[in-house]
Amino acid sequence: SLDFYKWLWNIISITNKSADHETFETACNGNEFVGFVISTNEGYVCYFVENTYYRQIMREYNATRPCVAIITFDNSDDFSNESDEIYSEVSLNVQSFLQRWANEYNALFKIIGNNRYMIIFKETDVDKLVEQKFPILQEIHGIKAGQHTATVSIGLCRGINSLKDSETNARKALDMALGRGGDQVAIISNNIYEFFGGTSATSEKVSKVRMRVIANAIKRTINDCDKVFVMGHRFSDLDCIGAAIGMQSVTCNIHLHNQPGSLRCGCRAL
């Protein structure tokens, strides 16, 4: 058939570019193969091993890997000033929305704390959610009481086989989402973050305890370094410049605290 000749021509092109004993992958008529190239005095010899079954298993494994999502009703404090009935109703509505959302994907839903939930999706489900840009955020906005609109923050981890490690990274992603103001989804994959949402004008909610933990972590990191470079992002704006000045001041104060006799911290602009 014409498809076979196209496939054969593609193999010839690959062979001409391949080194001796190099492998490549190809497919023909719905079957998948691993090809091996051996050079001879008169040309090249290609032989193929069909691995359709194993490739299918690999795809199914990757598609069904668990992805842990940790979710919090991040502005529940805004409703605490309302009556107990209204607060309970709003919290119950948020929980019902999230439970229905999990049921749509046949995912595991679990309450793990006060206004905190965990959902375990499959990798293919997360692909759909990313493509849809997590409409659950807008659906939660439909829950209102008085002048307040409910919002949730979601930390989601993907690409990790271990459920324990996935949950740990999901919590880190949730902290990142809350640190950016909440009402958004933070996905962590291979230590790279991706964000969705964050369109509402909710205020950032960082407790004094968490702020102290973050400050101590920054101090330990600075103390472990002999040099500290404060760098802003590309095309700096006023937020970036202000943050850089603040970090320079923090670094200088830590340096002077560690060396009381020092008259200057040695910080300078590059």
Side-chain angles (χ1 to χ4, degrees):
S1 64
L2 181 60
D3 291 337
F4 173 78
Y5 287 110
K6 288 182 178 179
W7 173 77
L8 185 59
W9 177 255
N10 185 48
I11 295 300
I12 294 173
S13 301
I14 294 174
T15 303
N16 290 334
K17 298 177 182 178
S18 299
D20 195 13
H21 300 292
E22 186 171 341
T23 63
F24 58 91
E25 295 182 355
T26 184
C28 181
N29 296 331
N31 296 322
E32 299 179 62
F33 303 88
V34 176
F36 299 85
V37 181
I38 298 178
S39 62
T40 66
N41 293 331
E42 298 183 4
Y44 294 93
V45 174
C46 296
Y47 62 98
F48 303 90
V49 177
E50 184 179 357
N51 64 343
T52 307
Y53 174 74
Y54 299 105
R55 294 291 296 177
Q56 182 63 27
I57 290 178
M58 182 181 297
R59 281 192 291 268
E60 291 178 359
Y61 168 75
N62 291 331
T64 56
R65 280 195 300 183
C67 299
V68 176
I70 305 295
I71 307 160
T72 182
F73 177 17
D74 56 21
N75 69 333
S76 59
D77 292 343
D78 293 342
F79 298 90
S80 60
N81 295 327
E82 305 289 341
S83 64
D84 293 340
E85 292 81 4
I86 293 178
Y87 178 80
S88 299
E89 181 181 359
V90 171
S91 297
L92 184 60
N93 285 338
V94 170
Q95 179 179 320
S96 299
F97 269 71
L98 294 174
Q99 197 160 11
R100 286 198 299 269
W101 183 46
N103 290 337
E104 289 179 12
Y105 296 92
N106 197 29
L108 173 66
F109 176 84
K110 185 177 180 63
I111 301 172
I112 59 175
N114 185 27
N115 292 320
R116 291 177 72 92
Y117 314 92
M118 180 175 67
I119 300 178
I120 301 180
F121 295 100
K122 293 185 295 186
E123 190 75 33
T124 51
D125 297 334
V126 176
D127 289 334
K128 296 176 184 176
L129 293 171
V130 169
E131 183 179 354
Q132 298 169 2
K133 300 188 183 299
F134 291 88
I136 186 64
L137 296 175
Q138 296 299 324
E139 294 174 9
I140 294 293
H141 290 171
I143 303 174
K144 300 180 180 180
Q147 301 295 322
H148 304 296
T149 299
T151 61
V152 296
S153 292
I154 303 173
L156 194 151
C157 175
R158 63 187 310 186
I160 294 182
N161 298 328
S162 167
L163 276 174
K164 182 178 180 181
D165 293 339
S166 185
E167 181 190 8
T168 300
N169 281 276
R171 293 182 185 276
K172 292 180 181 179
L174 178 61
D175 288 340
M176 181 67 73
L178 291 172
R180 287 167 51 93
D183 185 32
Q184 59 190 277
V185 179
I187 300 178
I188 181 172
S189 178
N190 297 322
N191 291 323
I192 298 176
Y193 286 94
E194 188 176 7
F195 300 96
F196 299 86
T199 58
S200 69
T202 55
S203 58
E204 182 176 353
K205 297 174 177 57
V206 181
S207 66
K208 292 182 179 179
V209 175
R210 181 166 174 265
M211 183 64 71
R212 188 162 56 250
V213 170
I214 295 173
N216 289 333
I218 294 175
K219 183 178 179 180
R220 286 195 301 270
T221 302
I222 292 175
N223 286 333
D224 291 340
C225 301
D226 57 350
K227 291 183 180 180
V228 177
F229 293 90
V230 180
M231 300 176 61
H233 55 70
R234 190 180 182 187
F235 305 124
S236 299
D237 52 18
L238 292 179
D239 289 343
C240 173
I241 296 173
I245 294 173
M247 283 306 303
Q248 182 190 23
S249 177
V250 168
T251 305
C252 286
N253 287 332
I254 292 175
H255 175 80
L256 294 176
H257 182 268
N258 293 337
Q259 301 180 20
S262 177
L263 298 179
R264 58 190 299 272
C265 70
C267 295
R268 62 188 180 90
L270 299 179

